[in-house]
Amino acid sequence: MSTSSAAVATPEPAAAPDFAAIKIRQKATWASGDYAVVGTTLQIVGETLCEAVDLQAGARVLDVAAGNGNATLAAARRWCEVTSTDYVPALLERGRERAAAERLHGIDFREADAEALPFDDASFDAVLSTFGCMFAPNPPRVASELLRVCRSGGRIGMANWTPTGFIGQVFKTIGKHVPPPAGVSSPALWGSRSHVVDWFGAAAAQVETQSREFNFRYRSPEHMLEVFRSYYGPMLKAFGALDAPGQDALAEDLVALMKQFSRKGSQTLVIPSEYLEVVVTRA
């Protein structure tokens, strides 16, 4: 009697994400709308981060994925020599306008990619990022670059939304309606201490983390949705990818999420949003 055995198919390995293509789309996303309208409300986070890092006057400071410059301006107010970077030129222009309005000097605004910083090794005493680097598609590469440009004994300070906090849940909600690119991890993983420790690895002499909250303050859930839908690139693009019924469904879910997280007893909308404050000392 003859026997035959069916060939067992070997599964093809998953293709690596095309980070270059993903970044092109991300850049277009953040360039849409006007993030500065939302970003400027987060200024207190930049001030708090600069205090956590304990910036000294005259320090060489790099702000990575700076947006419209919250950490940049906070460092300049402390008489630091600041280089402010982002890969969206329009956001750097908003930072320039703010610095000029406040007569802050010693700031160099430069277009740059968080995963390929155009600076020499150990160029800075401190490296900062507030809700910026966390959106780059290749976290280990970002951590490597932040470490590379920071001198030994210098500090890296980050503010990152957590997975379970309000903004982390906003992205989870959006992802149910508009799936994110395949193979790309959630930006909110930067808000997890275990991931941060893993990504910075042995090059970090110390990693300090603290859970903090930022309070979003708007007139109502509908007002917040209107502002974010009009000016916050990721949300603007998500709505743009949906037909009318899909847009209505996403809006309904986001308003419900805002009501769920809103502080009870407030006459207007106040939403505490958890973020992880990270201070890494470079080995």
Side-chain angles (χ1 to χ4, degrees), residues 91-247:
L91 291 177
L92 293 174
E93 186 58 33
R94 299 292 84 74
R96 287 190 189 93
E97 291 169 357
R98 296 177 73 194
E102 296 192 31
R103 298 186 179 182
L104 295 172
H105 304 288
I107 306 175
D108 180 23
F109 291 91
R110 293 185 59 179
E111 188 174 347
D113 181 348
E115 296 178 3
L117 296 170
F119 306 107
D120 293 336
D121 296 356
S123 294
F124 298 95
D125 302 304
V127 181
L128 308 175
S129 183
T130 56
F131 312 125
C133 282
M134 64 179 291
F135 291 102
N138 190 346
R141 177 64 182 169
V142 172
S144 176
E145 280 294 273
L146 300 184
L147 288 163
R148 182 184 65 78
V149 300
C150 186
R151 68 166 174 81
S152 177
R155 289 182 168 182
I156 298 167
M158 303 182 75
N160 304 320
W161 300 118
T162 65
T164 56
F166 172 68
I167 292 296
Q169 291 301 299
V170 165
F171 278 97
K172 183 177 180 180
T173 299
I174 291 174
K176 292 177 181 177
H177 294 262
V178 182
V184 177
S185 60
S186 168
L189 293 182
W190 275 102
S192 166
R193 176 180 168 83
S194 61
H195 283 88
V196 169
V197 170
D198 182 51
W199 288 329
F200 282 109
Q206 185 177 28
V207 178
E208 301 172 84
T209 59
Q210 182 172 341
S211 176
R212 293 191 181 274
E213 284 186 345
F214 170 80
N215 289 317
F216 286 99
R217 297 176 182 271
Y218 289 84
R219 298 186 184 97
S220 65
E222 293 75 19
H223 176 226
M224 184 175 189
L225 178 62
E226 176 188 358
V227 171
F228 270 64
R229 184 172 177 172
S230 300
Y231 301 109
Y232 190 61
M235 195 174 291
L236 185 156
K237 286 289 189 179
F239 274 99
L242 298 169
D243 58 17
Q247 291 180 12

Side-chain angles (χ1 to χ4, degrees), residues 29-45:
T29 294
W30 289 107
S32 65
D34 186 355
Y35 173 73
V37 174
V38 175
T40 193
T41 67
L42 300 163
Q43 181 60 45
I44 193 172
V45 177

